[in-house]
Amino acid sequence: MPFNSYPYFIFLAAAVLGYWLLENRSLTGRRLFLLLASYAFYAWWRADFLLLLMGSTLINYMLGREIELRRARHADRRLFLIGGLIFNLGLIAVFKYQTLFVSTANELLNIGLPISEFFLPLAISFFTFEQISYLVDADNGKTRRYSLLDYALFVAYFPHLIAGPIVRHNDLIPQFHALRSARALDLAAGITLFTIGLAKKTLIADNLAPFADAIFNAAGRGTPLGLTDSWLGTLFFSFQIYFDFSAYSDMALGSAVMLGIRLPVNFLSPYKAASIIEFWRRWHISLSAFLRDYLYIPLGGNRGSRARRYLNILITMLLGGLWHGANWTFMLWGGLHGLYLTINHAFRHLTHGMTPPPVLRMPLHALSVLLTFSATSLAWIVFRAETLTSAGNVAGGLIGMGDSAVVSFSPLAAVTLVLLFIIVWFMPNSMEIMWRHNPALPSPYEKEPVKPARRFAWQPTRLQAFAYGLLCIIAVLALSNLKPFIYFQF
Amino acid sequence: MKQTRYAFWFLGTVALGIAALMGFNWAAGAYILHHRAGASVQTLSGFERALKPVWLTQIRPELVFVGSSRVRDGFDPVLIDPALGVKSFNYGASSMTPYEARRFAQDALAQPSVKQVVVSLDAFTGHGGPGEALPSFDETRLAVTPEGGPTPRRGLWLFTTRFLSGGALGMNALSVYALARLKDGESAADRPDIFNAYSHMSEAVMQRDLTYRRARTLTMGPGPRREFATLLASACNAQARLILFFPPDHAAIQARYREGDAKGLEAFKQTVRDAVARHNARCPSRAALFDFLDANSLTTEALRDGRSASYVDLVHFRPPAGLWLLQQMRLKGEPSN
């Protein structure tokens, strides 16, 4: 059930109402209600894959408990941890990557292995990563013998189930037991945050999509793109994915807030970043924190030589890229970001201790933001393109290698781009607007804390209620057709 | 309790807005369906992709026209229904992509009331890729999925489209505005200033169009060819009959197509003829094919008193010409291939 659909609005209203009725009466009842609601939410899409979700949950829970028990007894638990990792990674490998790996092997080795067609279960990448983190934490003694109900709810809790944020058990499960005192504030803040997200999705991201799609589709058909097409396609997609993912994160967090639960901050104006390192502390924060804690650090992190550190970054980002989808273009996208991060770290090392004169700080910062935006936009080309040839057609067009004219550079396009740059570079983000009212768990990156907005800060006044209500109506009107979130496919 | 008041005002604003929207869309829908010239709004250009699937299920026609703006402009049920004694529906939409044309035709073929689906083949030209559609096109409103199965929860999507969507609001507002401006006894044909499909091509429009469409060709790329093949496969066992036609673009623009890519144009026609012949050889539901993209009395029509009786511009024919085409199809009766 996509967040941007009428059925979800009805479902959410029923879930909030049901939860409110049970909230102070039965702790078990309200958790059970949320679990059943979450399963219904997942089953709306395809009921048969609910069994996969439930089966995966049960197996991971049992493995986690066994690891906990063995840890308490100081018994060997490696078999269970490794078995759990193989089970989870195997599940993703079969459902998500089997076609890619087999078809690549067939192409390279000319061996003709049969390719089984599996339907990709929704959210498999997200709930598998969350359960891997649970098993690893159980092995490290960081789990607390949760009940099956708590664990199943942690995995399936509907606001984060489909496309994140990737949550940790210790962030979420204690909240299922907490009693809250500010239900009205939660409802007010939640519906506002949800409305901001809905407006970003239907009014901005979905209106950019047709232009980006037309251009990338032309490139996919082998058309060498012209200068205007390439630049507009790249910029429009950069903004489309920004607002699409930002919208999703706001709607997920807003839905959770209405139920009194805080999910981690996941999106924090990434195009304001002045370096790629900072970009990854602002874009899909829960994924980058997961990759850091469960991949980069176990690989050795920054403990070895500088070369080893850079290799660890590259491996982490390559796998992080592949996590997004079964296509080598995603791996290349991850590899590009790995390269960017390596260059960024090397530059930091070279310039360590150097400070620019005060007069140059502002221009240098602006230049850094522009450079970071350009680098990420270039990388979005391979992310969006379906093949490397198609990506080549778009990238070649940026330097005028083609002559297509899929779209024309109109004054409206110019004004749209200027407005979009103003929004992403100069306006406060939804977290900053709502921050005084506690809409999310803080970012794990202490160097990038959320700074509450001043002028645009949300206040529960009648005027703002009316304004956000109107925004909600306009956003609902734009829901003429159902466009899935980009991150739903991962 | 400031936050409770906030939620009250927010939800109150949304509820009132939604109620007003639903009320307007309900009233407008009833007004359009019951107006004597109501069906003429199907020739209007606006948000037709959003609301036409809803109208299709409400009207329950026997004869449906599918295609681009040529179809949207050229077939007015107000003119056709009494003349042919059928209930028809114009399922045309601006700049229809090959994928959309296939999907709209599949939708029409799947309606229990529909006996004939007339498709203009220009919708299957160009170089479109698989799945390409314009922004307001939405699969969920159609009776069948791309694979041919029933669309899950379609009733819900049709309901929300009809009452809650901005597309419905736009199309209803446009239609009500157009119909309300018709005086007693007037039809859409009397008001070409509102119903553009009834306007007449002038010499100036013709020259402007020749300049505007100077590089236009009519060829069928691999994507449209695939979509056309899928459409024929869908129609193989359908209860409704598929009637295909090459549109009667004016002779002046046909000359441009030939100048631009004569081989491509002939290949397009031959591909369609071959595909239809194969279809008819193996399918119980035979398709008819008519070719008006040639020199005939309609396409070679000269302007009289500085205006055309049959064309809005070089590719858009007027509803009387649309009726003439249907009469020609009936006269011919059997497939031309």
Side-chain angles (χ1 to χ4, degrees):
Chain A
M1 196 184 303
F3 288 168
N4 55 332
S5 68
Y6 303 105
Y8 181 72
F9 303 156
I10 296 164
F11 167 83
L12 183 61
V16 171
L17 194 65
Y19 187 75
W20 275 36
L21 290 173
L22 287 167
E23 192 169 8
N24 295 327
R25 292 184 187 167
S26 163
L27 190 60
T28 306
R30 73 182 202 188
R31 285 178 297 150
L32 193 61
F33 172 78
L34 273 187
L35 179 64
L36 292 176
S38 299
Y39 282 157
F41 170 81
Y42 192 77
W44 170 273
W45 167 71
R46 257 187 76 160
D48 49 348
F49 279 124
L50 180 60
L51 291 176
L52 180 79
L53 173 66
M54 292 165 88
S56 160
T57 303
L58 189 62
I59 289 170
N60 276 292
Y61 177 72
M62 285 159 57
L63 286 169
R65 285 306 300 265
E66 189 58 34
I67 292 169
E68 280 177 336
L69 291 172
R70 283 174 172 265
R71 185 184 164 83
R73 292 201 306 264
H74 300 288
D76 189 6
R77 53 190 188 274
R78 276 176 302 180
L79 182 69
F80 291 90
L81 178 63
I82 293 168
L85 292 177
I86 290 173
F87 168 72
N88 284 301
L89 296 175
L91 212 60
I92 298 194
V94 167
F95 281 104
K96 191 166 176 175
Y97 297 108
Q98 180 258 150
T99 309
L100 175 72
F101 293 151
V102 175
S103 59
T104 305
N106 282 345
E107 255 176 55
L108 292 178
L109 307 171
N110 201 20
I111 46 178
L113 289 172
I115 300 173
S116 313
E117 290 294 327
F118 284 108
F119 201 88
L120 182 66
L122 199 63
I124 190 168
S125 307
F126 288 91
F127 68 70
T128 304
F129 265 33
E130 282 158 356
Q131 299 197 95
I132 287 174
S133 79
Y134 164 71
L135 293 180
V136 173
D137 284 359
D139 188 53
N140 290 330
K142 292 179 184 170
T143 52
R144 292 184 198 168
R145 296 191 182 182
Y146 306 119
S147 68
L148 178 59
L149 175 60
D150 278 338
Y151 181 76
L153 182 55
F154 147 67
V155 176
Y157 183 55
F158 70 86
H160 78 79
L161 175 62
I162 306 295
I166 297 169
V167 289
R168 313 282 176 94
H169 53 91
N170 48 356
D171 278 339
L172 207 51
I173 292 177
Q175 293 191 65
F176 295 146
H177 294 263
L179 292 172
R180 58 178 174 158
S181 55
R183 292 202 309 191
L185 177 62
D186 281 353
L187 180 66
I191 52 180
T192 306
L193 190 53
F194 189 87
T195 298
I196 295 172
L198 184 65
K200 282 180 190 170
K201 171 68 177 160
T202 64
L203 301 179
I204 305 179
D206 287 352
N207 285 313
L208 295 171
F211 300 101
D213 288 349
I215 294 164
F216 276 89
N217 288 343
R221 287 194 296 271
T223 312
L225 294 190
L227 204 66
T228 309
D229 280 347
S230 279
W231 279 98
L232 284 183
T234 306
L235 287 173
F236 279 145
F237 182 70
S238 299
F239 287 117
Q240 182 202 342
I241 194 167
Y242 176 99
F243 284 102
D244 195 273
F245 192 41
S246 166
Y248 171 80
S249 298
D250 287 346
M251 292 167 88
L253 267 60
S255 301
V257 167
M258 286 183 226
L259 296 162
I261 306 281
R262 266 58 181 172
L263 298 177
V265 171
N266 206 30
F267 197 92
L268 209 55
S269 296
Y271 291 164
K272 285 178 185 165
S275 69
I276 292 291
I277 295 171
E278 191 186 339
F279 174 83
W280 279 102
R281 289 172 180 168
R282 290 170 170 271
W283 176 274
H284 208 171
I285 298 166
S286 63
L287 175 69
S288 55
F290 178 92
L291 292 173
R292 178 196 64 185
D293 296 345
Y294 297 97
L295 190 56
Y296 175 68
I297 292 175
L299 279 171
N302 52 11
R303 290 193 295 274
S305 66
R306 203 169 303 129
R308 178 61 206 231
R309 180 188 183 185
Y310 296 158
L311 182 66
N312 291 340
I313 289 173
L314 206 58
I315 293 169
T316 304
M317 294 311 291
L318 280 170
L319 293 176
L322 194 59
W323 172 87
H324 283 82
N327 194 330
W328 297 120
T329 51
F330 288 117
M331 200 164 178
L332 179 60
W333 173 76
L336 267 176
H337 272 277
L339 186 68
Y340 291 163
L341 282 168
T342 305
I343 293 169
N344 199 166
H345 279 288
F347 181 77
R348 278 197 178 180
H349 175 74
L350 286 173
T351 57
H352 184 69
M354 292 165 67
T355 45
V359 69
L360 283 180
R361 268 182 210 158
M362 184 75 114
L364 275 178
H365 181 79
L367 196 65
S368 303
V369 171
L370 189 64
L371 189 64
T372 306
F373 174 78
S374 308
T376 50
S377 294
L378 268 180
W380 286 134
I381 293 175
V382 281
F383 187 94
R384 172 62 181 80
E386 279 162 23
T387 61
L388 294 178
T389 317
S390 165
N393 283 337
V394 182
L398 293 177
I399 47 171
M401 287 173 69
D403 56 359
S404 72
V406 180
V407 295
S408 53
F409 188 70
S410 62
L412 182 65
V415 171
T416 305
L417 284 174
V418 169
L419 282 176
L420 291 169
F421 274 118
I422 289 173
I423 294 172
V424 302
W425 278 345
F426 301 107
M427 299 290 284
N429 61 53
S430 51
M431 289 295 105
E432 290 164 346
I433 291 170
M434 304 296 300
W435 199 246
R436 287 183 210 283
H437 299 275
N438 185 28
L441 299 174
S443 166
Y445 297 103
E446 289 165 5
K447 284 184 180 170
E448 314 299 338
V450 181
K451 293 167 191 148
R454 289 180 189 169
R455 191 177 300 172
F456 293 97
W458 174 72
Q459 293 293 334
T461 62
R462 193 177 296 181
L463 184 67
Q464 289 210 17
F466 183 66
Y468 279 110
L470 278 182
L471 182 67
C472 184
I473 293 169
I474 295 167
V476 167
L477 275 179
L479 264 183
S480 288
N481 48 349
L482 197 60
K483 290 212 183 78
F485 288 96
I486 293 172
Y487 265 71
F488 268 31
Q489 62 183 296
F490 308 138
Chain B
M1 294 309 286
K2 220 160 96 174
Q3 294 85 11
T4 310
R5 280 205 303 273
Y6 177 90
F8 174 80
W9 276 98
F10 176 95
L11 294 172
T13 305
V14 173
L16 269 177
I18 297 292
L21 177 69
M22 289 179 78
F24 172 77
N25 281 334
W26 175 81
Y31 176 70
I32 294 162
L33 284 179
H34 292 103
H35 195 284
R36 62 191 158 69
S40 292
V41 300
Q42 292 166 29
T43 65
L44 291 175
S45 166
F47 306 85
E48 60 265 36
R49 275 176 181 75
L51 210 45
K52 280 193 171 177
V54 177
W55 284 345
L56 176 66
T57 56
Q58 286 181 306
I59 291 171
R60 297 196 190 119
E62 300 155 272
L63 173 62
V64 178
F65 313 105
V66 176
S68 64
S69 53
R70 288 172 173 88
V71 165
R72 188 204 58 215
D73 279 10
F75 295 105
D76 184 353
V78 170
L79 213 60
I80 292 162
D81 292 6
L84 300 185
V86 291
K87 196 190 259 188
S88 67
F89 180 72
N90 182 328
Y91 214 177
S94 310
S95 308
M96 188 173 273
T97 66
Y99 178 74
E100 290 177 332
R102 187 255 287 189
R103 298 290 290 118
F104 276 133
Q106 280 181 315
D107 188 29
L109 287 167
Q111 305 296 323
S113 64
V114 175
K115 295 192 178 107
Q116 290 175 310
V117 180
V118 177
V119 180
S120 175
L121 289 162
D122 63 284
F124 289 97
T125 56
H127 300 279
E132 279 185 12
L134 262 65
S136 52
F137 174 75
D138 189 345
E139 304 275 8
T140 60
R141 300 180 189 118
L142 310 184
V144 288
T145 62
E147 294 75 31
T151 302
R153 306 179 192 93
R154 180 171 174 246
L156 174 71
W157 303 124
L158 285 179
F159 176 86
T160 52
T161 298
R162 182 178 167 195
F163 291 112
L164 290 170
S165 72
L169 177 68
M171 194 69 208
N172 278 330
L174 186 71
S175 303
V176 168
Y177 173 74
L179 292 176
R181 289 181 66 193
L182 292 180
K183 291 180 190 143
D184 281 348
E186 272 187 343
S187 68
D190 301 314
R191 296 299 302 269
D193 56 322
I194 305 168
F195 293 89
N196 188 54
Y198 282 96
S199 63
H200 296 268
M201 178 169 72
S202 62
E203 184 63 39
V205 169
M206 192 172 173
Q207 290 310 319
R208 192 190 62 206
D209 224 26
L210 277 172
T211 310
Y212 171 63
R213 299 178 203 274
R214 64 186 178 280
R216 186 68 63 96
T217 57
L218 214 57
T219 57
M220 193 183 215
R225 197 178 306 145
R226 268 200 305 276
E227 295 299 347
F228 183 63
T230 311
L231 168 63
L232 286 178
S234 313
C236 193
N237 293 299
Q239 297 218 328
R241 190 182 186 210
L242 197 60
I243 299 170
L244 309 161
F245 72 99
F246 292 105
D249 292 0
H250 194 275
I253 197 75
Q254 285 188 42
R256 287 290 165 91
Y257 299 156
R258 291 197 179 87
E259 273 171 36
D261 189 354
K263 278 185 185 169
L265 175 63
E266 191 42 48
F268 162 48
K269 286 187 164 189
Q270 195 54 47
T271 303
V272 171
R273 281 189 211 114
D274 292 346
V276 172
R278 279 197 303 274
H279 171 91
N280 286 341
R282 68 181 177 86
C283 290
S285 181
R286 285 163 62 86
L289 174 65
F290 298 97
D291 189 355
F292 297 105
L293 192 64
D294 55 10
N296 55 51
S297 58
L298 177 63
T299 57
T300 54
E301 180 208 72
L303 303 188
R304 276 189 205 155
D305 301 327
R307 66 181 210 169
S308 163
S310 305
Y311 287 94
V312 175
D313 57 38
L314 287 170
V315 299
H316 295 101
F317 51 90
R318 299 178 67 242
L323 178 60
W324 180 84
L325 289 176
L326 295 175
Q327 286 163 340
Q328 294 300 303
M329 290 180 196
R330 285 209 156 190
L331 282 175
K332 288 179 183 175
E334 283 303 306
S336 62
N337 56 306

